[in-house]
Amino acid sequence: MTHALYIDLPEHFNFRSTVYSHGWCELPPFALDTEKWRLSYVFGHAGKSIPAVIYEQGKRLRIDVEGDKFDKEQIIRDVRHILRLDDDLNGLYDLIAGHERLSWVADKGAGRMLRSPTVFEDLVKTICTTNCSWGLTKSMVNNLVETLGAGSLRSGKAFPTPAAMADVDSDFYRNEIRAGYRSPYFVELADAVASGKLDPEAWLTSDLPTPELKKEMKKVKGVGDYAAENLLKLVGRYDGLALDSWLRSQFYKNHNNEKPCPDKKIERHYKKFGEWRGLVIWCDMTEKWIN
DNA sequence: GCGTCCAGGTCTACC
DNA sequence: GGTAGACCTGGACGC
């Protein structure tokens, strides 16, 4: 049985721009139907998998949820979180108003970076993006969900809980997930979160200044400068650029005649955007995805 | 078929 | 604090 839930859309929100904001929509338990323009996600609540389909219907967002037993308020909260419905981007839009290359961002309601319902899931996925091709990232995340996620392959599997990930050893990550040298990192991370020693969800509401919060994030094995700054963006702090090889190559192409340059030159280019610079570079480099 | 390079980097040892 | 070398995987590429 399917139940429909509805959320009123905020001003300046664009469903497609948000879903296409980065590659997360390709990583399970997300799935995207680009013909009907529906975003699927399998929520994991209380050890159960709850498949849902999210799409626009008029001026509202409709969420079709499978099953009878689910927490309606939690589903709504999670959807608001993953689509960043409560983010206030007016500061960004004011800053780039009239800018030759960036005025499209406000016109297209862009700037909301799709994220997972939990910081833990974003943390694991971010580690899966490091030092490998996007294809391998997809493979590792797919293996994690298929082998350790709650639910069935037919109805859909949720992202594994910290406890489920802590329940397997390094060899499992190496042989089944194909995570290579990241394998012991996942064991250590899952143990820390499952035991309560580490609470990545607290990063969402942390009072720490960004440099201090970044240091906290980098204490997690496998999280370096790029990964920490990517996670900072996903918790709503945009004062780091999160430079990786893809972002650098796009900058060279768009702003440096396709020639490599030092990171400092990229940093100088976006310095004027202050606390929004991390989001500005991301929008600047992903314009073709949205337009 | 085989070797090399590199992709949405990070860790450790060493200076 | 800065840097060299090692690290899994798998696809692309040259030979």
Side-chain angles (χ1 to χ4, degrees):
Chain A
M1 185 178 287
T2 301
H3 295 268
L5 307 177
Y6 296 91
I7 300 176
D8 290 331
L9 293 176
E11 197 183 3
H12 298 308
F13 174 80
N14 184 301
F15 184 59
R16 293 190 183 205
S17 296
T18 303
V19 170
Y20 264 166
S21 57
H22 64 126
W24 255 217
C25 64
E26 296 178 30
L27 299 179
F30 281 112
L32 180 62
D33 178 345
T34 51
E35 283 189 13
K36 294 180 181 171
W37 258 95
R38 295 182 175 195
L39 179 69
S40 304
Y41 186 81
V42 182
F43 293 96
H45 293 168
K48 290 182 180 173
S49 68
I50 304 163
V53 182
I54 307 162
Y55 53 101
E56 278 183 300
Q57 195 169 68
K59 291 185 176 179
R60 293 189 299 178
L61 209 56
R62 176 169 169 162
I63 311 154
D64 290 339
V65 188
E66 290 289 328
D68 295 319
K69 293 180 181 174
F70 61 87
D71 183 335
K72 176 184 162 187
E73 298 305 320
Q74 190 169 2
I75 297 283
I76 298 269
R77 266 201 311 276
D78 282 352
V79 171
R80 298 194 77 88
H81 179 85
I82 64 179
L83 294 174
R84 322 283 292 252
L85 295 184
D86 299 307
D87 282 17
D88 180 1
L89 297 180
N90 286 322
L92 169 70
Y93 295 159
D94 289 345
L95 183 66
I96 59 179
H99 192 285
E100 188 184 356
R101 274 187 65 90
L102 298 166
S103 55
W104 66 270
V105 176
D107 297 342
K108 289 282 185 179
R112 296 173 204 271
M113 293 178 72
L114 186 71
R115 60 185 172 185
S116 308
T118 67
V119 181
F120 172 73
E121 182 176 330
D122 281 337
L123 174 53
V124 172
K125 285 177 172 174
T126 297
I127 292 174
C128 287
T129 66
T130 57
N131 195 28
C132 65
S133 62
W134 180 244
L136 185 55
T137 297
K138 288 200 281 188
S139 170
M140 285 188 277
V141 174
N142 201 50
N143 292 340
L144 279 170
V145 172
E146 281 192 6
T147 59
L148 298 175
S152 68
L153 282 176
R154 194 174 57 81
S155 62
K157 289 202 158 202
F159 194 81
T161 61
M165 286 187 63
D167 208 33
V168 291
D169 61 14
S170 186
D171 286 344
F172 181 89
Y173 287 103
R174 201 172 286 272
N175 299 327
E176 306 299 324
I177 308 301
R178 310 300 293 167
Y181 68 90
R182 303 167 194 79
S183 300
Y185 302 165
F186 288 137
V187 174
E188 193 175 317
L189 170 61
D191 279 343
V193 178
S195 68
K197 270 191 284 185
L198 176 68
D199 180 15
E201 310 313 312
W203 296 343
L204 282 166
T205 52
S206 171
D207 292 329
L208 289 174
T210 302
E212 297 303 313
L213 183 55
K214 185 178 169 183
K215 275 186 195 169
E216 286 299 308
M217 291 173 167
K218 286 179 70 173
K219 287 180 183 170
V220 177
K221 285 271 183 65
V223 176
D225 283 327
Y226 149 74
E229 290 180 6
N230 187 56
L231 284 163
L232 284 166
K233 289 180 183 181
L234 295 177
V235 300
R237 304 196 193 205
Y238 303 105
D239 36 351
L241 297 184
L243 293 177
D244 56 21
S245 57
W246 184 83
L247 211 51
R248 288 187 182 93
S249 70
Q250 294 303 306
F251 180 86
Y252 305 153
K253 203 177 291 178
N254 289 306
H255 293 292
N256 210 46
N257 296 321
E258 305 203 16
K259 290 180 187 165
C261 64
D263 288 353
K264 287 193 174 174
K265 180 170 183 178
I266 305 178
E267 285 160 12
R268 280 200 302 275
H269 185 93
Y270 292 100
K271 191 179 175 186
K272 59 179 172 285
F273 298 106
E275 64 179 2
W276 292 103
R277 58 189 181 273
L279 192 49
V280 170
I281 187 176
W282 188 254
C283 290
D284 194 17
M285 296 302 105
T286 58
E287 179 185 0
K288 284 181 184 168
W289 296 358
I290 309 291
N291 290 313

